[in-house]
């Protein structure tokens, strides 16, 4: 049944383990080897193929690492359940920090007609022509610097430009020296954890942005979850927690979408000042606000250097660039020199291009354009949901950002809703993973990102969701 | 004397601390406030300016952080010695991981007519036109992916292309799954330290590449220095060390330039297999070899997955791209999924461009071209040194790579040679910083990088060095 073919010299010159791995993978993906099948034992395959154990063990390890196979202690290796696999792929999406690259991803992707991926942004309106012009311009004009390492904190003039932009748009108060340009929030957190000293307890929004939480956990910090919902934030718990740092997303809480009210911001700063604590303000989609008047960033009302502000080009521009920035309070700069071995800035060429893009006014134009675009998508989506679902869902977290939350009046669980939606070709998101303490609230909450979907497809997506779920609604 | 002008609302709206900082910085840089001057105490300035202490303290802290001022306990703040400052800038260069971005850098740079910077590469031959074409091509053709996060391990097809390149050029044996594309060696080491378990003792070449050594130290590893010279490597010490990992640069030892002989490579693998240890093979300039026949990479003769291979685009292409890659042995892949929050790949756009660049054959053409170019620079430099210095210097570490070592027959110290060279407008490098245990060998060793210098300038540089040093030669 498991006729694995080996050649010592196949045309690709693949080593044995790779040949074995490839053949198993392909047959699992095509369904030739079915879900939950037990693979032959290493010993059995060894006898069959007449080779040493090592390549077989290696291939199996690789299948496990890539998620096609799991091992049961004392029993052997089993093909994973493809249904589970798909739902795992779905659950995995929210931590968009590791999309498996293997063909399976494509095959899973293809199954969806519409994917409300909260991490995706619009690609139709990406200013390709202008960006190309910027790249062209800087490669011609900075070619004399292309042979050199630059400043690993980021190019100085880009940091200056970002400082200005942040002052104008988010009232962030900083000098270029305080800015560190990086390749994403995981990099910023890596650097930050090198700079802070004597901190052990980190308060974290619950639910909250799991990748950052995991990073703190794996760095040995203790996480204190502070419950946040559409209309509350566990201030009392924070006060008693002994936390020395807190991570928050005040512009548009991830994932609930809540906007932190002004008084709470003041309270947070008060708390930080009182305890000499730090606040990480992750302003990932602060550029987009639809309802209510803008509330100043925490950094802008911090007068004692308690806020670490983190922003990104991933939302307002593109996540493909992998460029973000962190604004450090002055007192954290002191140690920077001694940890500079950890610094590694993103491409200088793209930093030059970004500088030119902003300086020449394209950035402000782009942001205005995207604001309008997303505002339209946002209201279209809201309208569709209201039209099709009426009072069967409650929409929250929709006054800012690029995703919203719906709570569905059904007795089904999140997972079941996801499955039903997937059967119709629609992918929606369940952010249970964003919680440390799993709880089951009365009705399931589902997340829809709209930035990456064409406006014309929004209605179709909602219609399909209605078809998928309507039989389960509670009257 | 220290008439600092403050406005609550100057045209830049700079906060007070920034105004104070800027004024001091400018006046230090222009020499208006001289080296070693004691700055007014915080209290004195406070009285003079009639403001609170905080902005003054902040400004002083910032001046310290940026290296313009140092504080003497119980005494106050002093402007640094500008000579020392410059030599510090020079010593700093070797860890090219933090070039201060401030105007001072430019002013220091300008002083050098010729800078034998070992981190710089040729910028005249960077294929601007072709690279622009690639960027153009991928922005047009991949625009449908620009709204999405990709695989944080790196784009799969680029990893495949790199695997092929490494197989062809360095005989590295790996599948794309084993490759992680990153933004430089500091990133690779950050990821690696997350994957290895139970390792505490890391052997390190002495002298060796300080940024990586520092990273291990700051991550809590213990470093065991293994002495390496032009003709020896401390095998015996390694054998007895209890080390569980070793970092080596076998193609062209950094900084001595030694090429590790084949038998030593075999020995190292033998050692690693025997102790279940890992070898980090940093092949940073493995593309360039001038004398002797190429020796296979350690990874290519490793059959038990003991070698972690790290390569970079910084030498053969440009450090401005900030792109490198690490090849992990299979057994280290297992944990990858669980640490994926730490991953952050470089720009996807440039990854696409690099893929196209390699696939279309430009990469191989470029490497051939640079090999010829650097071979010529290398031999020109050797010739100049021999002509001008004859038997007053010994050249070593010159059979590969982009820098070489000269040992000068003088009674002066490294620092003095650097200073004399600087007075003539030439910058050369002293790699004492690359040692943990400072030793003073009989004659001082100086390093010269040649990749970033135009061929026509090499002779001039050497001539100036001769003029600078000749009075000190020992007969
Ligand atoms: C809560 C949150 N923070 C930060 C980010 C931005 O991450 P990065 O700048 O690494 O792309 C995201 C991305 O989706 C996010 O959801
Ligand atoms: C010994 C050594 N390793 C690695 C590198 C490459 O570093 P990166 O890929 O981070 O540019 C260098 C750069 O000069 C180096 O000297």
């Amino acid at each position: 049944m498991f006729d694995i073919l080996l050649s010592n010299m196949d045309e690709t010159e693949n080593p044995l383990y790779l040949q074995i791995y490839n053949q198993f993978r392909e047959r699992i993906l095509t369904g030739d080897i079915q879900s939950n099948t037990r693979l032959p034992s290493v010993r059995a395959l060894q006898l069959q193929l007449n080779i040493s154990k090592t390549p077989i063990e290696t291939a199996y390890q690789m299948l496990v690492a890539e998620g096609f196979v799991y091992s049961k202690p004392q029993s052997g290796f089993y093909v994973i359940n493809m249904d589970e696999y798909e739902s795992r792929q779905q659950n995995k999406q929210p931590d968009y920090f590791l999309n498996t690259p293997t063909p399976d991803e494509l095959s899973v992707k293809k199954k969806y007609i519409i994917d409300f991926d909260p991490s995706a942004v619009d690609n139709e309106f990406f200013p390709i022509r202008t960006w190309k012009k910027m790249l062209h311009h800087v490669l011609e004009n900075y070619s004399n610097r292309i042979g050199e390492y630059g400043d690993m904190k980021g190019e100085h003039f880009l940091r200056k430009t970002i400082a200005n932009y942040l002052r104008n748009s988010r009232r962030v108060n900083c000098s270029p020296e305080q800015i560190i340009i990086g390749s994403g929030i995981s990099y910023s957190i890596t650097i930050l954890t090198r700079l802070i000293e004597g901190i052990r307890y980190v308060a974290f929004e619950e639910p909250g942005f799991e990748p950052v939480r995991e990073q703190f956990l794996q760095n040995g910090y203790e996480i204190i979850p502070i419950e946040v919902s559409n209309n509350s934030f566990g201030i009392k718990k924070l006060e008693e927690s002994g936390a020395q740092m807190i991570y928050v997303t005040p512009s548009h809480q991830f994932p609930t979408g809540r906007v932190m009210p002004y008084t709470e911001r003041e309270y947070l700063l008060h708390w930080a000042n009182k305890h000499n604590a730090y606040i990480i303000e992750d302003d990932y989609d602060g550029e987009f606000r639809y309802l209510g008047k803008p509330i100043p960033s925490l950094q802008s009302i911090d007068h004692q250097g308690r806020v670490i502000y983190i922003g990104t080009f991933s939302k307002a521009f593109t996540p493909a660039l992998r460029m973000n920035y962190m604004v450090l309070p002055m007192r954290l700069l002191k140690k920077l020199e001694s940890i500079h071995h950890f610094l590694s800035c993103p491409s200088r060429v793209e930093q030059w291009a970004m500088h030119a893009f902003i300086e020449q006014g394209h950035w402000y134009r782009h942001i205005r354009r995207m604001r309008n675009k997303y505002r339209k998508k946002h209201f279209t989506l809201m309208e569709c949901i209201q039209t099709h679902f009426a009072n069967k869902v409650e929409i929250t977290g929709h006054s800012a950002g690029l995703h919203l939350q719906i709570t569905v009046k059904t007795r089904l669980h999140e997972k079941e809703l996801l499955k039903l939606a997937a059967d119709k070709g629609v992918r929606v998101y369940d952010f249970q993973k964003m919680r440390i303490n799993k709880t089951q609230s009365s009705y399931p909450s589902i997340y829809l990102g709209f930035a990456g979907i064409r406006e014309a497809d929004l209605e179709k997506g909602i219609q399909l969701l209605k078809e998928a779920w309507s039989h389960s609604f509670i009257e």
Side-chain angles (χ1 to χ4, degrees), chain A residues 96-97 118-119 183-186 209 212 247 249 254 282 284 311-315 319 322-324:
Chain A
Y96 0 86
F97 288 86
S119 79
S183 58
I185 195 162
S186 71
F209 191 52
V212 169
Y247 165 91
T249 45
F254 192 90
D282 178 0
Y284 68 111
T312 182
F313 291 109
S314 293
K315 297 298 171 186
R322 307 310 306 124
M323 201 187 286
N324 83 337

Side-chain angles (χ1 to χ4, degrees), chain A residues 425-450:
Chain A
V426 181
R427 190 171 190 176
V428 292
Y429 292 79
D430 155 26
F431 279 163
Q432 279 297 323
K433 237 194 141 169
M434 300 292 150
R435 301 192 67 89
I436 284 194
N437 303 313
K438 313 295 175 211
T439 57
Q440 197 54 58
S441 49
S442 44
Y443 291 125
S445 287
I446 294 293
Y447 294 88
L448 308 179
F450 52 82

